[in-house]
Amino acid sequence: MKKLLTKELKLFAAPLTYFFIAFALMTLLPGYPILCGAFFVCLGIFKSFQTGRETNDILYTVLLPIKKSDAVKARFIFVAFIELVSFAVMTVLTVVRMTVLSDAAPYVQNALMSANPVFLAFTLLIFAMFNLIFVRGYFRTAYATGKPFIVFIVIAFVIIGIAEALHHVPGLAFVNAISGEGMAANYIILAIGAIMYALITLLAFKASCKSFETVDL
């Protein structure tokens, strides 16, 4: 598995995938829907799948002396690695915005979603949907990337829209807080987001293994 993961990181991964991790820096943008950063990270991962399709990477992989499920497992670990590295960057920047930059005028006057635990929870939800809709969709055929990614785009921007509107709903202003009352609930929401990410990704992985076993390459 170690060699297979090395192959994913060095041969399967498109350089653009690593570059798009930088979109995690969008967490610092005031007056902008910062959840779009999570979408662009997923777009970077999509480019690896697209490039891999053109180079027949999946056929090369299954010709190695491994089980088909190992190929799926390595691919999911690669995807999760990119997502979690990006999430770590977003977390650090969120902490900076909640502490060092908490009184900065551009953030205080920002009418859009704040960088806080709820933002991080929605980030994990977008990543989970990418794994369930796109990565799971890809392994149904081990070829098609367009349709599952288009479906993911729609779902991702629905999530972004809901997240941006949520704190404007009466009684839900606390989801945009960076301190004080409501923070305990925000951290609970983050914990729920983390659990959902883990469970949905695991579900997507198991379903992908089952589908990929029946794919005739």
Side-chain angles (χ1 to χ4, degrees), residues 45 54 104 139 146:
I45 300 172
E54 304 308 319
F139 277 110

Side-chain angles (χ1 to χ4, degrees), residues 9 12 41 72 90 107 135 140 154 166 197 204 212:
L9 293 168
F12 170 72
V41 170
V72 178
M90 292 176 178
Y107 298 131
V135 183
R140 283 195 175 100
V154 173
L166 206 57
Y197 173 82
F212 193 48

Side-chain angles (χ1 to χ4, degrees), residues 29-68:
L29 292 179
Y32 192 88
I34 54 177
L35 272 173
C36 288
F39 167 76
F40 283 115
V41 170
C42 295
L43 177 60
I45 300 172
F46 166 74
K47 294 302 293 183
S48 285
F49 278 83
Q50 197 174 47
T51 302
R53 181 189 63 183
E54 304 308 319
T55 58
N56 281 323
D57 174 83
I58 196 69
L59 179 59
Y60 165 76
T61 303
V62 297
L63 289 175
L64 298 172
I66 61 170
K67 296 184 293 185
K68 273 189 168 183

Side-chain angles (χ1 to χ4, degrees), residues 2-16:
K2 183 178 179 180
K3 291 182 178 179
L4 194 54
L5 288 174
T6 300
K7 172 259 174 191
E8 292 291 301
L9 293 168
K10 292 185 176 181
L11 296 181
F12 170 72
L16 202 61

Side-chain angles (χ1 to χ4, degrees), residues 78-115:
F78 165 74
V79 170
F81 170 74
I82 300 297
E83 291 170 344
L84 294 179
V85 168
S86 303
F87 179 75
V89 174
M90 292 176 178
T91 300
V92 170
L93 297 179
T94 296
V95 171
V96 170
R97 278 190 57 168
M98 292 175 63
T99 55
V100 179
L101 299 177
S102 61
D103 295 325
Y107 298 131
V108 173
Q109 299 167 5
N110 180 29
L112 298 181
M113 171 177 265
S114 297

Side-chain angles (χ1 to χ4, degrees), residues 124-135 152 155-156 159 196-197 200:
L124 288 173
L125 181 58
I126 290 173
F127 287 156
M129 289 299 102
F130 178 79
N131 299 344
L132 181 64
I133 298 170
F134 174 73
V135 183
F152 165 70
I155 297 299
I159 292 172
M196 288 181 64
Y197 173 82
I200 292 172

